[in-house]
Amino acid sequence: MKMNGARILLECLKREGVDTVFGYPGGTVINLYDELFNFKDIRHILPRHEQAGTHAADGYARATGKVGVAIATSGPGATNTVTGIATAYMDSIPMVIITGQVPTALIGNDAFQEVDIIGITRPCTKHNFLIKDVNDIATIMKKAFYIARSGRPGPVLVDLPKDVQIAQTEFVYPETIEIRGYKPNLTGHPRQVEKAVAMLLAAHRPVVYVGGGVVLGNASDELTTLARMLSLPVTTTLMGLGAFPENDPLSLGMLGMHGAYCANMAMTHSDLIVAVGARFDDRVTGKIATFAPHAKIIHIDVDPTSIKKNVRVDLPIVGDVKDVLAKMIKQADKSRDKAADFAAAIASWHEDIAGWKAKHPIAYKQSSTAIKPQFVIQKLRELSDEDAIIATDVGQHQMWTAQFFQFNRPRTLLSSGGLGTMGYGLPAAMGAQAAFPKRQVITICGDGGVQMNIQELATLVQNRLPVKIVILNNNFLGMVRQWQELFFDKRYSQTCMELPIDFVKLAEAYGAKGFSTAKPGEVEKIIKQGFKHPGPVIMEFKIAREEKVLPMVPAGASLNEMVLNA
Amino acid sequence: MQHTISVLVENEFGVLARVSSLFSGRGFNIDSLTVAPTNEEGLSRMTIVTRGDENILEQITKQLNKLIDIIKVIDFTGGVAVEREMALVKVTAEDESRAEVLRIVDIFRAKIIDVTPKSYTIEATGSPQKIDAILELLRPLGLKELVRTGAVAIGRGAKGWKG
Ligand SMILES: Cc1ncc(C[n+]2csc(CCOP(=O)(O)OP(=O)(O)O)c2C)c(N)n1
Ligand SMILES: [Mg+2]
């Protein structure tokens, strides 16, 4: 049957199993929206800003593991998606972004609402496509989804001119696709795996360093099995939180700039680091020259470019982390005869780690007069469901969440790690809630970042998405203020938010519910009321204003040079 | 150290931009870059001359391989390829220097492709080192204009790039 390009695009989405899209209409996608009007198989959610729509697709993808889909019109609609695309790119999130484009005959003429979105997004997409012929839509969409979700995932943008949406052709969706320049290497080399296990069993001070790749690769079970089998201490990055249960005694928590003392000390003293789906980011390694000076490094990653980019590697294993970890489990099982010796060899290492844990646990000073942000996070963990999804914004509250909310399951923390995008939390939570209407979805935000996409309250109310918005209000751009306090003699240049906002009234203006308190004694009550309310809620906690995130490795310092209390 | 890399790419819109923005975005050097279609339909070949230590070269080849439109990356480090380059050179040539220019052209087996009473335009082909050498000799005589193609390279031996 002949269909127009717009309809073909929707049929492609359906074939790819897309049930929800986040999009915003405009002149160059009006034909697509006209087809959508009668297309019942896809739910369309209208955000109040294309940036938020893109973050929502990202939150949907992180929470489900499926490809998130966003739509925007050409020109300003397309440029509004760029922050969302770059955020997803830095954290390797599978997404397909569809932008309208001016008719092919006008491309390059500075037509109304024309931008070169292909050029603009080239460095922040895994790949992008301009579709010039209606006959190419099906193949390109098939490729776009395949590229987005396979190998190291990432966002793919498809630019679709208006005339191509109108043109007609026969719709045939290809069963398979072959891209000769794209063949991700998914299976780990067996000999490398053998060597890795041999190195591991010969180690005395091993640490497993886990990144977001384990979450993206759905390899938490394998990781947990391997770690428990050999009693390996595990530390995760921000992106890796949830990949290994933090309530397991083998967990060291998060490492890096605001990581746990024991995690950073373990890295510094380790003689063997097994990096799994992690990329040795500067926020994790601290000063590279003094990073893990005694350790041999085994690096497992699906993306060869991650390996040896920042640090030397003794044994690289390119492959899907799930496959490689499963093979390592088998290999370790074969070497069972060595298990007792290995356990004995690392016994004193476990004692060292226990010592560091006891010496400087992640902690804070409680107060009876001011709300401590860490206390709010602990209460949220205590009172929320075990499978609650937490989306954070970016700043101090993000780090307190990482430190004090115990993440025990994968895909329960959604946070912009690589790009550090303020304004991410609320729309990402919206996307996760759209995917899981029945689960508890909480976003933990600062008073600064929450105002970068606050308009999405309207989307939440309209679509009955009962996201719980927690605002840790210090009336500061707190994270920047902390740096100014520590490194710029308290010159608080442009970080005080002077104007106090009435967040309760703001919630009410959108038809949501608002709570606010500055009293520690009311924290529990408000969280309970907020969770109980069936719709979207803002819970504002006016916190101790100059509370700092500690410990901290100052930028450029070594991991073992942590500021523990300042 | 200088490296010559050959890159087989899909002959698609934007490929050159992807490659060049990869180099600029990651701070890799490009000494020269050439691109043209090959004997195979839909396939173009780039020759990129770049500089950097072993680690940088490894990152460059990995990052190139990661681009979806790139089919194969060949690193020609270590004399495993034949390299050629062409230069067009306009030199001042008056009175006594006219004979000197002709001598140099002859020695390097270059060609005169345009003549005026005051100048010669020379076409020189050879390894990049040979081009450097002829330019070295022509420079003192008055080098008015120079165009170089940048190197192209092909592997030695009987095998093609597919093996
Ligand atoms: C879009 C964007 N702009 C600026 C920054 C720089 N930045 C990082 S944290 C931060 C402060 C955030 O303040 P707030 O949202 O109130 O959170 P808090 O740190 O106070 O918890 C700023 C400005 C950023 N990460 N993202
Ligand atoms: Mg703040």
Side-chain angles (χ1 to χ4, degrees):
Chain A
M1 197 179 67
K2 276 205 167 178
M3 298 176 186
N4 66 21
R7 177 67 189 268
I8 289 176
L9 187 98
L10 296 176
E11 295 289 344
C12 294
L13 295 180
K14 187 176 149 186
R15 298 295 187 288
E16 290 296 331
V18 175
D19 53 19
T20 307
V21 302
F22 303 87
Y24 210 97
T28 58
V29 283
I30 199 163
N31 303 83
L32 182 60
Y33 276 86
D34 191 52
E35 284 298 327
L36 193 66
F37 194 69
N38 287 319
F39 198 85
K40 296 293 169 235
D41 298 325
I42 292 176
R43 172 165 65 150
H44 182 277
I45 293 179
L46 177 73
R48 295 311 190 252
H49 191 302
E50 291 93 344
Q51 181 194 347
T54 318
H55 288 324
D58 168 316
Y60 177 96
R62 290 189 207 226
T64 59
K66 299 200 285 184
V67 179
V69 179
I71 301 174
T73 193
S74 64
T79 54
N80 272 348
T81 66
V82 172
T83 302
I85 296 172
T87 303
Y89 183 67
M90 287 294 274
D91 291 342
S92 310
I93 305 307
M95 291 211 308
V96 169
I97 304 92
I98 297 151
T99 49
Q101 182 54 282
V102 301
T104 35
L106 294 184
I107 291 179
N109 289 6
D110 298 325
F112 177 63
Q113 295 196 326
E114 178 186 1
V115 294
D116 174 15
I117 197 64
I118 293 290
I120 290 172
T121 59
R122 197 173 287 128
C124 62
T125 50
K126 186 169 172 186
H127 197 60
N128 57 22
F129 294 96
L130 169 64
I131 307 187
K132 287 183 178 159
D133 183 339
V134 68
N135 294 304
D136 294 340
I137 295 180
T139 328
I140 287 180
M141 288 306 286
K142 180 90 185 172
K143 284 185 185 173
F145 275 85
Y146 172 60
I147 292 169
R149 69 161 74 93
S150 58
R152 179 179 182 172
V156 176
L157 181 134
V158 176
D159 202 20
L160 188 63
K162 188 179 168 84
D163 55 319
V164 181
Q165 295 170 42
I166 296 167
Q168 302 237 346
T169 193
E170 211 61 48
F171 172 62
V172 190
Y173 204 58
E175 297 269 305
T176 54
I177 205 85
E178 153 88 16
I179 308 172
R180 54 181 169 171
Y182 178 68
K183 304 246 154 48
N185 183 359
L186 299 178
T187 53
H189 198 286
R191 274 247 301 290
Q192 297 291 88
V193 171
E194 257 171 57
K195 278 191 207 158
V197 173
M199 277 169 79
L200 193 51
L201 291 175
H204 292 88
R205 299 186 300 279
V207 184
V208 184
Y209 149 53
V210 170
V214 175
V215 177
L216 295 166
N218 300 313
S220 293
D221 288 346
E222 288 78 4
L223 171 75
T224 309
T225 305
L226 183 69
R228 287 183 179 157
M229 209 168 147
L230 298 172
S231 284
L232 304 171
V234 178
T235 178
T236 78
T237 65
L238 176 68
M239 302 314 296
L241 283 173
F244 186 77
E246 286 197 282
N247 57 9
D248 189 298
L250 291 169
S251 170
L252 307 181
M254 183 173 77
L255 81 167
M257 181 173 271
H258 292 296
Y261 177 77
C262 66
N264 287 344
M265 292 303 276
M267 292 295 274
T268 305
H269 292 275
S270 168
D271 67 350
L272 181 77
I273 292 171
V274 185
V276 195
R279 60 189 175 92
F280 296 90
D281 172 88
D282 53 277
R283 286 291 186 264
V284 158
T285 59
K287 188 169 155 191
I288 275 285
T290 53
F291 172 72
H294 315 293
K296 289 216 163 105
I297 296 177
I298 299 173
H299 194 170
I300 306 167
D301 205 292
V302 73
D303 179 2
T305 67
S306 286
I307 294 173
K308 286 202 251 180
K309 185 167 61 183
N310 301 331
V311 299
R312 74 205 142 71
V313 169
D314 299 279
L315 184 76
I317 308 183
V318 176
D320 180 24
V321 291
K322 194 178 177 78
D323 174 79
V324 176
L325 289 172
K327 284 181 178 151
M328 284 179 77
I329 293 170
K330 271 203 193 133
Q331 182 64 25
D333 206 37
K334 277 193 222 155
S335 323
R336 238 192 234 149
D337 50 321
K338 302 204 182 77
D341 285 350
F342 179 64
I346 64 170
S348 72
W349 176 235
H350 279 294
E351 280 167 30
D352 292 345
I353 288 174
W356 290 320
K357 267 191 192 174
K359 192 168 167 204
H360 297 292
I362 292 276
Y364 66 99
K365 262 203 207 85
Q366 185 53 296
S367 157
S368 57
T369 50
I371 299 179
K372 286 302 186 89
Q374 302 92 334
F375 171 67
V376 178
I377 305 290
Q378 284 179 332
K379 278 286 161 201
L380 285 168
R381 168 75 291 180
E382 190 186 311
L383 300 169
S384 62
D385 299 340
E386 180 58 28
D387 69 345
I389 296 171
I390 309 299
T392 76
D393 215 81
V394 169
Q396 289 184 305
H397 61 278
Q398 176 189 32
M399 291 299 122
W400 287 319
T401 304
Q403 292 177 331
F404 289 91
F405 195 97
Q406 231 182 31
F407 291 95
N408 298 324
R409 297 185 185 201
R411 302 190 183 279
T412 54
L413 170 63
L414 322 178
S415 196
S416 167
L419 200 65
T421 309
M422 282 173 73
Y424 172 80
L426 172 46
M430 177 168 101
Q433 188 82 77
F436 296 107
K438 298 254 154 59
R439 270 166 81 179
Q440 213 169 35
V441 180
I442 304 162
T443 174
I444 300 173
C445 300
D447 50 303
V450 79
Q451 294 186 68
M452 285 201 177
N453 271 316
I454 193 73
Q455 75 286 346
E456 298 310 318
L457 268 173
T459 318
L460 295 182
V461 173
Q462 181 188 326
N463 293 283
R464 298 204 173 81
L465 299 169
V467 171
K468 309 303 172 196
I469 303 164
V470 174
I471 301 175
L472 298 182
N473 188 351
N474 48 17
N475 217 22
F476 272 124
L477 297 173
M479 186 56 98
V480 183
R481 186 210 61 77
Q482 172 167 340
W483 283 54
Q484 290 171 335
E485 175 184 335
L486 293 175
F487 313 117
F488 294 87
D489 287 331
K490 293 203 176 191
R491 288 188 300 277
Y492 293 165
S493 179
Q494 300 298 320
T495 44
C496 180
M497 306 291 271
E498 316 273 341
L499 180 77
I501 308 293
D502 187 335
F503 283 108
V504 173
K505 273 197 188 152
L506 183 93
E508 285 163 0
Y510 280 101
K513 182 113 185 113
F515 300 94
S516 175
T517 183
K519 297 194 190 110
E522 291 184 349
V523 169
E524 179 159 338
K525 185 184 75 188
I526 286 185
I527 294 176
K528 281 183 175 162
Q529 284 176 341
F531 283 175
K532 215 157 129 207
H533 182 76
V537 170
I538 285 184
M539 292 174 250
E540 180 201 22
F541 299 102
K542 296 178 174 155
I543 58 168
R545 287 195 70 200
E546 300 200 35
E547 187 71 12
K548 283 191 289 291
V549 181
L550 291 169
M552 174 175 194
V553 179
S558 308
L559 275 191
N560 58 343
E561 297 169 348
M562 300 195 87
V563 178
L564 292 159
N565 31 49
Chain B
M1 189 178 149
Q2 236 187 14
H3 302 276
T4 305
I5 302 171
S6 216
V7 190
L8 278 303
V9 303
E10 296 284 358
N11 194 355
E12 293 228 19
F13 144 95
V15 182
L16 179 60
R18 284 185 208 283
V19 171
S20 59
S21 76
L22 183 135
F23 274 76
S24 61
R26 295 192 178 268
F28 301 143
N29 287 300
I30 298 184
D31 286 350
S32 74
L33 187 156
T34 71
V35 55
T38 65
N39 56 322
E40 251 175 82
E41 178 112 27
L43 260 191
S44 285
R45 181 156 172 160
M46 292 183 185
T47 309
I48 304 170
V49 179
T50 181
R51 250 171 310 133
D53 62 24
E54 218 177 289
N55 283 333
I56 292 179
L57 185 73
E58 184 175 335
Q59 264 301 311
I60 291 175
T61 50
K62 283 177 173 178
Q63 293 286 355
L64 283 169
N65 265 313
K66 194 169 159 177
L67 293 178
I68 310 281
D69 286 335
I70 287 192
I71 292 153
K72 192 171 172 66
V73 180
I74 311 165
D75 171 13
F76 280 138
T77 306
V80 291
V82 189
E83 282 182 45
R84 287 295 177 268
E85 182 174 6
M86 185 165 86
L88 302 180
V89 200
K90 200 173 281 184
V91 283
T92 318
E94 287 179 277
D95 309 328
E96 68 277 16
S97 75
R98 285 184 86 80
E100 174 66 6
V101 171
L102 289 180
R103 259 197 305 278
I104 295 170
V105 165
D106 193 40
I107 293 167
F108 282 87
R109 291 191 199 143
K111 270 194 272 182
I112 307 287
I113 54 172
D114 190 36
V115 192
T116 75
K118 293 180 170 179
S119 72
Y120 283 127
T121 301
I122 301 162
E123 173 194 319
T125 313
S127 69
Q129 295 74 17
K130 177 177 157 186
I131 305 291
D132 288 342
I134 187 170
L135 292 175
E136 206 53 43
L137 293 174
L138 292 173
R139 192 163 282 123
L141 301 173
L143 223 164
K144 291 173 76 137
E145 196 175 335
L146 166 68
V147 204
R148 296 176 73 154
T149 57
V152 292
I154 196 161
R156 290 183 188 276
K159 279 188 190 154
W161 65 271
K162 285 180 178 166

